[in-house]
Amino acid sequence: MTTFALIHFVLLSILTATAVAIARMRGLYGATMLAALFSLVTACLFVLLDAVDVAFTEAAVGVGISTVLLLGGLALTRSREAVTPRRRRLPGVVVVLLTGGVLAYATLDLPEFGSTDSPVHRHPVTDTYLRQSQEDIGIPNTVTSVLASYRGLDTLGELVVVFTAGLAVLSLLGPLARPEQVRPPSDFHLADYRVIRVVTGTLMPFILLFALYVLFHGDYGPGGGFQAGVIFASGFVLYGLVFGLDKAQQVVPRAALWLLISLGLLVYVGLGLTTMLLGGAFLDYDVLDPGHPESGQHLGILVVETAIGITVAAVMTTIFFSFAARGVSQ
């Protein structure tokens, strides 16, 4: 067994053990932390498979913001799972076993790991993405070229899904509390600990700077609007956890959050309408600079990634504020 295969085997073993532990655990807080560990190990596997963009997203969303939101949800409910009678567990066990068996059987038709003859490598569009994109768009990161240019309309649909899901969650949680309506849930406050306060204040500029780097460097390396938006939201979530929800809402007012949720989507759609008014197709960035199509592509992709980052960051931050406000508002 090679070192590469051994690392895969170890990581898959950790994933299996973690999944079994989550299924058997009744403490929901512990299960949430194990779920974060599961996402972290999965991100490591994606890195080994050279899917760094996917690993980036898994680490930022699965390990970071999702864990905080789950903990925020658990703070409003019970901390242990309700005990289900054994006779009611049998149908669920049967469904899981049948689904797992079907998925395992389907893997028999998959090509060998790393095979160059797999259908995805033999499809003509793959050669177009990997080679022609360098001439059409001039961006080293093919993933960004595909998501923001070739499949720009699909990415717009994904942003609409994020926007709609955010509004649905916020409608269930209720309106954001005003800063003056928010009070600490108890006498315990992280801001009372000087080390935590100083470390958080020191890290905040670097977190936001890293988010900007991920946003503007997505053309040349792993990153982009989705990842940058989650990192931005993580910074504001950290600030709210340490200094309190009232201080966080003073830094990021709720009126600004509601505006930003819609602004990113409007900028994205507005870019598409602009390209049509200039005589091109919807989201055809070449018309932004007819004399230099590559410059137009760069400009269009930058606007798209910025729009995505704005909406994602605003949605994630607003959801966290809504969860936190339900537990501490008067």
Side-chain angles (χ1 to χ4, degrees):
M1 179 181 296
T2 63
T3 304
F4 186 75
L6 179 61
I7 295 175
H8 273 80
F9 177 78
V10 172
L11 293 178
L12 288 173
S13 300
I14 295 175
L15 286 178
T16 303
T18 305
V20 172
I22 293 174
R24 295 179 58 85
M25 185 173 289
R26 290 291 178 261
L28 299 180
Y29 284 105
T32 299
M33 300 312 296
L34 285 180
L37 173 63
F38 190 94
S39 295
L40 180 61
V41 177
T42 303
C44 295
L45 276 174
F46 286 143
V47 172
L48 291 176
L49 295 173
D50 291 332
V52 183
D53 287 86
V54 182
F56 213 146
T57 305
E58 182 66 33
V61 178
V63 184
I65 198 73
S66 295
T67 302
V68 174
L69 293 179
L70 286 174
L71 292 175
L74 290 177
L76 305 176
T77 60
R78 64 180 67 183
S79 60
R80 293 188 63 83
E81 181 182 357
V83 178
T84 305
R86 288 186 176 274
R87 63 178 180 274
R88 295 184 181 178
R89 299 178 190 174
L90 182 60
V93 172
V94 172
V95 171
V96 170
L97 292 177
L98 288 177
T99 304
V102 171
L103 293 175
Y105 177 74
T107 59
L108 299 177
D109 292 332
L110 292 176
E112 294 184 6
F113 182 76
S115 174
T116 58
D117 294 330
S118 62
V120 68
H121 290 146
R122 289 187 280 108
H123 199 283
V125 74
T126 302
D127 185 70
T128 300
Y129 284 159
L130 294 179
R131 292 180 174 81
Q132 188 173 334
S133 66
Q134 303 299 321
E135 301 177 1
D136 294 343
I137 302 176
I139 289 178
N141 188 0
T142 306
V143 175
T144 300
S145 301
V146 173
L147 294 181
S149 183
Y150 287 125
R151 290 181 55 247
L153 188 60
D154 294 339
T155 304
L156 174 59
E158 294 175 6
L159 189 62
V160 171
V161 170
V162 173
F163 173 79
T164 306
L167 292 184
V169 173
L170 294 175
S171 65
L172 294 174
L173 293 176
L176 286 176
R178 297 181 182 275
E180 61 271 13
Q181 297 175 316
V182 176
R183 58 179 174 80
S186 66
D187 294 335
F188 174 78
H189 207 283
L190 289 177
D192 296 334
Y193 294 84
R194 182 175 300 177
V195 174
I196 297 178
R197 186 175 67 249
V198 171
V199 170
T200 301
T202 304
L203 287 178
M204 276 297 298
F206 292 100
I207 293 174
L208 300 181
L209 181 62
F210 181 63
L212 291 174
Y213 172 81
V214 171
L215 175 64
F216 295 118
H217 197 259
D219 297 355
Y220 303 95
F226 286 104
Q227 297 90 333
V230 175
I231 296 173
F232 268 116
S234 300
F236 297 132
V237 167
L238 175 63
Y239 189 89
L241 289 174
V242 174
F243 294 98
L245 182 60
D246 54 339
K247 299 293 185 181
Q249 288 193 358
Q250 291 176 4
V251 175
V252 190
R254 62 175 191 164
L257 287 176
W258 283 113
L259 174 64
L260 292 174
I261 288 176
S262 304
L263 179 62
L265 185 59
L266 292 175
V267 169
Y268 203 143
V269 175
L271 175 63
L273 295 177
T274 301
T275 57
M276 294 178 66
L277 293 175
L278 293 175
F282 188 74
L283 296 177
D284 180 11
Y285 310 141
D286 290 347
V287 298
L288 297 177
D289 191 349
H292 302 85
E294 289 188 3
S295 299
Q297 289 288 334
H298 278 261
L299 177 59
I301 290 175
L302 178 60
V303 174
V304 164
E305 297 287 7
T306 303
I308 293 172
I310 290 173
T311 293
V312 171
V315 167
M316 294 294 183
T317 304
T318 307
I319 290 176
F320 168 75
F321 283 179
S322 297
F323 268 116
R326 285 180 64 89
V328 301
S329 59
Q330 293 179 341

